[in-house]
Every structure is written in C-alpha cells, then in structure tokens.
C-alpha cells in the first residue's frame, strides 16, 4: 500500500524495507526507467566513497544480480524488473557483466510493493561462494541462474515440449 504522503502519481527511490523515507520521490516511471535509476545509483553514485567497490573499468565488471520482491509484486512484474536490471547493467558495463542472477522473494515486508536491486562484484572468491549456495540448495537461499552472453543465445526452433522430449 502506498504511503499516504506520497501522491499516487509518484514513487520513492531508495527506501528502506520498513518504510523509512526514501532518497527521493519521483514521478512514476516505466519499469525500464525506474530500474535504470536504481542501477545508476549503484554504479554511478556520484561520490568517490564508492569507488573501491567498482573495478577501474566498468567494462571489466563481472557481477551477480539479486532482484528482490519486497512482497507484493506479481511474478510477471518481478520478471520484467529482472529483465530490465540485466539490460541496464549490461548497458553500463558491457554484455558479459551479469553472469549470475537470483530473482525472487528473499527479504519481504508483508504487502510492500516494490523491489530492491543488488549487485555483487564477482571476485575474491565470491563466485565460489555462490556456487556453494547453489550446491546446498537451501530453500531460504537464492538459487542463481548462470546467464550467458546475449549473442550466444539462439532463437528457439522447436517447442519446449519437443526439446525436452528429445533429451
């Protein structure tokens, strides 16, 4: 449910899980623009304090992307946000940048409509840590999907049922 002090045609960016005030109140925007604003806040925060978190060249960033449903988004809405987050990071950092993705309900607040986007730089053993989480298959931990390079994807020529039956 929207906070009463925020008009219906506005949304908050940068709010906390328990409804703390956000960083800014902006006009409602399409998913692509809203997600791009979130990714830009992570990758281009406008302060040198964050510089150590990013590689010297953003084009060399290899990361895992977490997209968290804060509670009340539908699965379709979450999938749209996840697709837009992958596109926004790749637009900023190159097509090979997002190599693992986890999208789901990991930290929620009842009926809170919204998402959080988190990027984890994959260096210094982070990839192995994520592999360990996947191996454990804990129901409370994110399951990561390995994302390939978009140019490597080929359009489907058979139905999913035909492809599954042939294996």
């Amino acid at each position: 449910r929207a906070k009463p002090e925020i008009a219906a045609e506005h949304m908050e960016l940068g709010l906390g899980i328990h409804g703390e005030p956000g960083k800014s109140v902006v006009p409602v925007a399409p998913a692509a623009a809203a997600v791009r604003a979130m990714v830009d806040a992570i990758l281009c925060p406008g302060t040198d304090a964050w510089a150590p978190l990013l590689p010297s060249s953003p084009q060399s960033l290899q990361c895992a992307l977490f997209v968290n449903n804060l509670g009340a988004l539908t699965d379709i809405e979450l999938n749209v946000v996840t697709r837009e987050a992958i596109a926004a990071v790749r637009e900023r950092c190159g097509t090979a940048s997002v190599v693992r993705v986890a999208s789901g309900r990991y930290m929620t607040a009842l009926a809170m409509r919204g998402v959080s986007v988190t990027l984890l730089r994959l260096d210094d053993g982070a990839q192995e840590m994520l592999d360990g989480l996947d191996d454990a298959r804990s129901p409370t931990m994110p399951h990561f999907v390995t994302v390939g390079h978009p140019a490597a994807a080929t359009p489907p020529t058979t139905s999913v049922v035909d492809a599954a039956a042939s294996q």
Side-chain angles (χ1 to χ4, degrees), residues 43 52-55 58 60-66 89-90 96-102 118-134 144-147:
L43 295 176
L53 298 177
L54 300 175
S60 68
L61 178 69
Q62 296 282 298
C63 67
L65 170 70
F66 295 80
V89 174
R90 285 182 167 170
S97 54
V98 178
V99 296
R100 303 289 290 275
V101 175
T118 303
L119 292 173
L120 172 65
R121 186 173 164 182
L122 294 179
D123 59 3
D124 299 328
Q127 180 73 40
E128 291 78 21
M129 180 206 58
L130 296 181
D131 291 342
L133 290 175
D134 279 349
F144 288 90
V145 176
T146 301
V147 180

Side-chain angles (χ1 to χ4, degrees), residues 35-158:
V35 171
R36 187 164 285 109
M38 289 188 275
V39 168
D40 284 351
I42 295 168
L43 295 176
C44 311
T47 173
D48 291 336
W50 290 82
L53 298 177
L54 300 175
S56 56
S57 166
Q59 295 297 319
S60 68
L61 178 69
Q62 296 282 298
C63 67
L65 170 70
F66 295 80
V67 181
N68 176 54
N69 181 344
L70 292 174
L73 260 59
T74 67
D75 289 342
I76 291 171
E77 290 168 321
L78 185 63
N79 289 339
V80 168
V81 169
T82 301
R83 180 192 67 212
E84 295 298 341
I86 292 168
V89 174
R90 285 182 167 170
E91 179 181 293
R92 281 274 185 206
C93 302
T95 56
S97 54
V98 178
V99 296
R100 303 289 290 275
V101 175
S103 176
R105 291 171 187 87
Y106 305 115
M107 181 177 67
T108 63
L110 301 174
M112 188 170 187
R113 290 193 59 80
V115 297
S116 64
V117 174
T118 303
L119 292 173
L120 172 65
R121 186 173 164 182
L122 294 179
D123 59 3
D124 299 328
Q127 180 73 40
E128 291 78 21
M129 180 206 58
L130 296 181
D131 291 342
L133 290 175
D134 279 349
D135 291 344
R137 301 278 186 218
S138 170
T140 60
M141 296 302 290
H143 175 71
F144 288 90
V145 176
T146 301
V147 180
H149 189 285
T154 57
T157 55
T158 60

Side-chain angles (χ1 to χ4, degrees), residues 2 5-12 25-29:
E5 65 270 13
I6 299 174
E9 65 274 2
H10 286 84
M11 64 184 184
E12 262 184 312
V25 176
V26 298
V28 170

